[in-house]
Amino acid sequence: MMGWYGNGMMNGFGIGMGLVGWLVQLLLFAAVIYLVIILIKKLLNQPQPPATDKSQAILNERLAKGEITEEEYRKLKNLLHE
């Protein structure tokens, strides 16, 4: 169907809008990729608790369960904090 400003549904703006649309789509893809990279970096850079914290928790649990004596607990605790 013929429009007032040209033929087709784009009314003569097919080339210009195609270029603008292509650039907008490219910018959107770049923005999505950028945000995914930022998200991955944030997830990977989360501070990890020191190993001694986990070791200390295990040691406390073993003492609470009665698997080790208080003397063994003190020795192992001193080894962890050296």
Side-chain angles (χ1 to χ4, degrees):
M1 177 177 210
M2 293 288 289
W4 284 36
Y5 300 107
N7 55 2
M9 296 185 69
M10 295 299 290
N11 294 328
F13 295 104
I15 294 173
M17 293 303 286
L19 181 61
V20 171
W22 182 80
L23 290 174
V24 169
Q25 187 175 9
L26 182 64
L27 288 173
L28 286 173
F29 283 148
V32 168
I33 290 170
Y34 175 76
L35 290 174
V36 167
I37 290 171
I38 295 297
L39 178 65
I40 289 171
K41 283 185 178 182
K42 281 189 177 187
L43 290 174
L44 292 178
N45 288 334
Q46 288 182 347
Q48 299 294 325
T52 57
D53 290 346
K54 186 175 180 183
S55 301
Q56 184 67 46
I58 293 171
L59 188 60
N60 291 342
E61 186 178 327
R62 288 186 64 196
L63 178 65
K65 288 181 178 180
E67 294 176 0
I68 58 174
T69 65
E70 287 185 40
E71 183 180 333
E72 290 172 319
Y73 174 82
R74 284 191 209 101
K75 286 179 185 178
L76 292 170
K77 184 177 175 184
N78 288 336
L79 282 173
L80 286 176
H81 295 289
E82 285 181 353

